[in-house]
Amino acid sequence: MPTHSLRHLNSFKLAANAKELIDITSIAQLDALLPTSGNTLILGGGSNLLFTQDYDGLILHNQLKGIEITQDDEFYYLQVAGGENWHDLVMSCAKQGIGGLENLALIPGTVGAAPVQNIGAYGVEFCDVCEQVQAHDMESGSKQVFSVSQCQFSYRESYFKAKRQFFITGVQLKLAKKWQPELGYGELKAWAQSLNSAPTPLQVANQVIAIRENKLPDPRVLPNVGSFFKNPLVSMEQARTLKFSYPAMPQYPNQGKIKLAAGWLIDQLGLKGYGIGGAAVHQHQALVLINKKDATSKDVVMLAQSVREKVAEQFGVTLEPEVNFIDAGGYSHLDKALTYV
Ligand SMILES: Cc1cc2nc3c(=O)[nH]c(=O)nc-3n(C[C@H](O)[C@H](O)[C@H](O)COP(=O)(O)OP(=O)(O)OC[C@H]3O[C@@H](n4cnc5c(N)ncnc54)[C@H](O)[C@@H]3O)c2cc1C
């Protein structure tokens, strides 16, 4: 019988239960627990998880805490435990005048989850500041340290996301003392041009917060998981054909392909505000699906499918969810969820 409610542990506020849940507050506790056998899921802040069924396994809720900062002439080195809050870390650095993380302000969740999908925003990704990742292999119980290249970071992907068997206990970040703000992203660029002098990390962080608050719904008010879909990568050829039919379509070169803006595609179809049951596409941000009122996992899955179908019909582009679907047995996906909701 499921016993642990997950409703307040996922930012979509979907009703789901877990068979077992353990708060992980020390490495020693993890050492004693691992390797685990059977279904085990790591939970951070729950801001990138979609529970489509009750979870029939053990949830390890990461609450590891601790931040240590050292430095040499050129760099600050931050050793941060995986259960720390990401945004609090960003703000603490910005307030101390340590630059490098400020573009990633207001991304919800934990530090330990940041490498998993290589979080990114406003021209900066986690991989840009990462020096190493420390993890426990849940299958063998052994400890491992990953260099940046071993993490295999790419757009919203990493080795940890591909493998799923590592519990990230901590990360080491390396931040240059000769800090250069990254202000190339549209709204940040316009703001930077209006300044009389170079901004501080704190000023950039506050501006990122202002931009995000203006366009993204606060999950505490309108439960959501941020971008529901990834921005699709298409071939140069497909991008050219699309640009011919839709001259205004935003396109960005990325890893030898072209990245399209999923939100723009959804918006073109007039889907802002479109809903199924208690789930809806946000009124102002087409890439964000929200729990408008008492949404069930079925509402969300049906809405995601409907949006995906409409985009595919119109543009011939398949949207892939960025959020992690979790069902009774663990990691799942939209097509599987459609078979049982
Ligand atoms: C309003 C909003 C805005 C957002 N904006 C952005 C954005 O701009 N950019 C962006 O990239 N993302 C964004 N996100 C997505 C989300 O915040 C990030 O993916 C974040 O890193 C998730 O952290 P979490 O602790 O909540 O992870 P969870 O949702 O708890 O877990 C996410 C995944 O990571 C795994 N995981 C968690 N902790 C660990 C660990 N210690 N070791 C190994 N695996 C682990 C989980 O098992 C799961 O697979 C946004 C979400 C919301 C709600």
Side-chain angles (χ1 to χ4, degrees), residues 40-70:
T40 306
L41 175 77
I42 304 158
L43 175 69
S47 62
N48 204 10
L49 288 169
L50 194 77
F51 290 101
T52 54
Q53 287 181 324
D54 286 340
Y55 180 65
D56 186 23
L58 166 65
I59 289 191
L60 301 179
H61 190 197
N62 186 4
Q63 313 265 10
L64 297 172
K65 302 286 182 198
I67 302 176
E68 249 180 78
I69 304 181
T70 53

Side-chain angles (χ1 to χ4, degrees), residues 35 71 102 150 179 185 221 238 331:
Q71 55 182 299
E102 55 287 336
Q150 288 172 321
W179 169 73
Y185 176 86
V221 181
Q238 190 177 2
Y331 285 96

Side-chain angles (χ1 to χ4, degrees), residues 165-208:
Q165 80 203 52
F166 296 98
F167 186 117
I168 296 170
T169 51
V171 302
Q172 192 181 83
L173 310 181
K174 184 177 170 184
L175 304 174
K177 287 188 170 176
K178 271 195 191 150
W179 169 73
Q180 285 290 334
E182 170 54 68
L183 301 168
Y185 176 86
E187 289 156 89
L188 273 184
K189 197 174 182 174
W191 168 75
Q193 281 164 354
S194 71
L195 299 173
N196 297 323
S197 55
T200 64
L202 185 56
Q203 285 173 319
V204 177
N206 285 334
Q207 187 59 24
V208 168

Side-chain angles (χ1 to χ4, degrees), residues 125-341:
E125 289 184 316
F126 178 81
C127 60
D128 299 325
V129 294
C130 178
E131 176 72 352
Q132 58 168 239
V133 171
Q134 299 116 21
H136 273 54
D137 185 335
M138 296 197 292
E139 287 176 10
S140 68
S142 66
K143 292 178 188 166
Q144 289 190 35
V145 175
F146 294 84
S147 65
V148 180
S149 66
Q150 288 172 321
C151 293
Q152 296 176 19
F153 290 123
S154 60
Y155 170 64
R156 299 296 181 269
E157 296 292 339
S158 71
Y159 183 71
F160 312 106
K161 190 166 174 184
K163 290 285 174 195
R164 301 291 191 194
Q165 80 203 52
F166 296 98
F167 186 117
I168 296 170
T169 51
V171 302
Q172 192 181 83
L173 310 181
K174 184 177 170 184
L175 304 174
K177 287 188 170 176
K178 271 195 191 150
W179 169 73
Q180 285 290 334
E182 170 54 68
L183 301 168
Y185 176 86
E187 289 156 89
L188 273 184
K189 197 174 182 174
W191 168 75
Q193 281 164 354
S194 71
L195 299 173
N196 297 323
S197 55
T200 64
L202 185 56
Q203 285 173 319
V204 177
N206 285 334
Q207 187 59 24
V208 168
I209 292 170
I211 294 170
R212 292 182 69 106
E213 283 181 340
N214 197 29
K215 61 185 214 186
L216 286 172
D218 180 345
R220 290 167 302 184
V221 181
L222 278 178
N224 72 82
V225 287
S227 306
F228 195 93
F229 297 102
K230 289 189 205 176
N231 288 321
L233 290 170
V234 300
S235 67
M236 303 267 187
E237 198 191 335
Q238 190 177 2
R240 261 194 303 273
T241 311
L242 283 165
K243 195 80 179 171
F244 186 74
S245 306
Y246 307 95
M249 178 181 281
Q251 301 192 341
Y252 312 93
N254 188 290
Q255 298 161 14
K257 294 192 159 192
I258 298 292
K259 186 154 85 175
L260 308 179
W264 187 89
L265 302 176
I266 300 168
D267 195 13
Q268 290 309 294
L269 297 166
L271 293 177
K272 278 181 183 160
Y274 168 63
I276 292 183
V281 178
H282 189 244
Q283 283 285 359
H284 305 302
Q285 179 51 263
L287 193 49
V288 177
L289 304 191
I290 55 169
N291 180 347
K292 200 170 166 190
K293 196 172 187 306
D294 302 328
T296 61
S297 52
K298 180 173 182 175
D299 297 339
V300 185
V301 168
M302 299 308 285
L303 178 64
Q305 169 63 0
S306 174
V307 169
R308 187 172 68 164
E309 257 173 17
K310 289 177 197 294
V311 167
E313 268 166 33
Q314 181 75 20
F315 300 105
V317 173
T318 306
L319 293 182
E320 200 188 311
E322 179 176 310
V323 64
N324 297 283
F325 280 60
I326 307 290
D327 65 19
Y331 285 96
S332 182
H333 49 83
L334 179 51
D335 288 320
K336 185 170 170 213
L338 284 165
T339 63
Y340 56 71
V341 292

Side-chain angles (χ1 to χ4, degrees), residues 76-97:
Y76 293 104
Y77 301 91
L78 279 62
Q79 173 59 43
V80 191
E84 289 286 345
N85 178 276
W86 176 263
H87 173 70
D88 291 350
L89 173 71
V90 173
M91 293 314 287
S92 160
C93 287
K95 283 175 188 160
Q96 294 176 66

